[in-house]
Amino acid sequence: MPEPAAQVKHTLLITLISALLFAASFVKIPVADKLADNYFSESIQAATIAYATTRGVNAVVSVVKESHLELAPAGVGITIAAGQILDPIDDMTERLSSVLVAAIASLGIQKIGFEISEVISFKVIAIILLLSVPMIWLNKTGLAMPLLKLAIKFCLILLLLRFMLPASALISHSLYANWLQPGIADSMQKLSIISESYDKMSNMPPEQSQGFFSSMTASAADKVENTRKAFLTMVENAEHIINSLLQLMTAYLTIFVVQVLLLPLLMLWLIAAMFKSRTLDEFTVVLTNKLVPVHS
C-alpha cells in the first residue's frame, strides 16, 4: 500500500495543478485566442455588410420592377421586359440573403461557444481535479479507479475542446484570407455600385426654391430618371451582377460548410476516437495506479 506521504504528495500536486489551471482561465492563449477572436468579429462584420449590400441590390431590383419606365417610344412592353431581365437577379439576391443569414448565425454561435470555452474550460478542469482528490485516499479500487479514469478522460476532452476551437478558427481564417476574401471584396465592390442607387432613389429632397406642386413634380421626375438609370445600369451589367452574387454565395456557402459541418464533425470524431483510444486507456490506467492506493 502506498505510504501516506505519497498520498499527501499526490494531493498537493493535483491541488497545485488545479490552482494553476484556474488562474490560466483568466489568461488568453498567446496569438491563437486573439487571432480567433479577430476572425469571428471581422467575419461577422463582413457578412453583415454583404447582407446589407445584397438587400440593397434587391431593393433596387424591386423598385425598378414595380416602376413603369418609358425607355422606348410609347413605352410599349418595357415593364414586362424589365421584369424578365431582372427576375434572375431578384431570385439570386433572395437566395444569397438566406445563405448570409445562416452564415452570420453560425459565426455568431461559434463566437459565443469560443468565448464560453475560453472562460470556463480550465475552471471546469480545475474543479474536476479537486473533486478527484478524495479518490486518492480511497483504499478500494472498485470505486476509485473507474471514477478517476473517467475524470482524467473528461479533463483531456475539455483540453481538446479548449484548443480546438481556436484551431478551427485559425483554419477558417486561413481559408478566408487566402482563398475567399479577394473574391468577396471584388464582388462587394461591384454590387455596392448597384445598392447605392437605392439611396439616390429613396432620398431625394425637393427643391426649396420651387413651389410645392412644381417641387413634387421635379422630385417625381428625378426619381423616374434615377430609376431609369438604375435599370439601364443593371441591364448593362446583368452578367457581372449575377457572377458577383454567385461568387458571394459560393464563398459564404464554403464558410458555412467548413465551420458548421466539416470542423465540428472532425471535432466529434476526435472526441470519439479519444474515448476509444487504447493509448489513452493505458495512460489513464497508469496514472490512476500511481494516484489511487491499492491493497497489496
Side-chain angles (χ1 to χ4, degrees):
M1 180 186 298
E3 296 180 357
Q7 295 172 301
V8 173
K9 179 181 177 181
H10 294 154
T11 300
L12 291 176
L13 179 61
I14 289 179
T15 304
L16 176 61
I17 294 172
S18 177
L20 290 174
L21 286 170
F22 190 84
S25 66
F26 297 97
V27 180
K28 291 181 178 291
I29 299 174
V31 181
D33 279 349
K34 184 177 181 180
L35 286 176
D37 188 58
N38 289 341
Y39 166 72
F40 284 123
S41 299
E42 292 172 4
S43 296
I44 292 172
Q45 183 181 14
T48 303
I49 294 172
Y51 177 78
T53 302
T54 302
R55 297 311 301 174
V57 174
N58 181 260
V60 174
V61 172
S62 298
V63 170
V64 173
K65 286 176 66 176
E66 294 173 3
S67 301
H68 296 275
L69 306 176
E70 295 185 3
L71 303 177
V76 177
I78 294 302
T79 303
I80 298 176
Q84 291 174 343
I85 293 171
L86 299 182
D87 271 342
I89 298 177
D90 193 19
D91 184 60
M92 284 293 299
T93 54
E94 291 291 344
R95 293 177 185 276
L96 177 57
S97 296
S98 301
V99 171
L100 288 170
V101 168
I104 292 169
S106 68
L107 287 167
I109 291 171
Q110 289 185 67
K111 180 175 171 61
I112 293 172
F114 165 71
E115 291 173 349
I116 292 174
S117 173
E118 187 179 23
V119 172
I120 71 169
S121 291
F122 286 155
K123 288 186 177 72
V124 173
I125 294 173
I127 292 171
I128 292 174
L129 290 176
L130 286 178
L131 292 176
S132 67
V133 168
M135 303 176 196
I136 297 175
W137 296 86
L138 294 176
N139 293 324
K140 294 183 179 180
T141 60
L143 176 63
M145 289 191 69
L147 290 177
L148 191 55
K149 285 171 64 178
L150 184 62
I152 292 171
K153 278 192 174 183
F154 194 61
C155 289
L156 291 174
I157 288 171
L158 285 173
L159 278 175
L160 176 67
L161 290 173
R162 175 64 181 91
F163 288 101
M164 276 201 68
L165 285 172
S168 67
L170 292 177
I171 293 171
S172 299
H173 172 71
S174 178
L175 174 68
Y176 178 79
N178 296 321
W179 297 96
L180 301 177
Q181 191 175 27
I184 291 175
D186 182 61
S187 299
M188 288 288 295
Q189 184 178 7
K190 293 177 180 177
L191 293 177
S192 61
I193 298 173
I194 305 300
S195 64
E196 287 170 3
S197 301
Y198 182 71
D199 295 330
K200 294 180 181 179
M201 288 187 290
S202 57
N203 299 320
M204 294 200 56
E207 295 291 337
Q208 299 296 325
S209 59
Q210 298 176 340
F212 176 76
F213 291 105
S214 60
S215 65
M216 290 293 291
T217 303
S219 177
D222 288 339
K223 282 191 175 183
V224 170
E225 179 61 20
N226 282 327
T227 303
R228 188 183 71 85
K229 289 179 179 178
F231 173 73
L232 291 175
T233 300
M234 298 190 78
V235 171
E236 292 171 359
N237 298 280
E239 184 178 353
H240 295 298
I241 294 170
I242 293 175
N243 287 338
S244 297
L245 292 171
L246 279 172
Q247 195 168 16
L248 275 180
M249 184 179 295
T250 302
Y252 281 101
L253 273 175
T254 302
I255 292 173
F256 182 81
V257 169
V258 169
Q259 291 193 319
V260 177
L261 297 177
L262 296 183
L263 290 178
L265 286 175
L266 176 62
M267 191 180 300
L268 289 174
W269 179 81
L270 286 175
I271 292 173
M274 283 186 65
F275 264 111
K276 298 177 181 179
S277 172
R278 289 186 178 182
T279 303
L280 181 61
D281 287 337
E282 292 172 0
F283 173 76
T284 54
V285 169
V286 171
L287 186 57
T288 304
N289 288 334
K290 288 184 177 181
L291 295 176
V292 177
V294 183
H295 281 299
S296 55

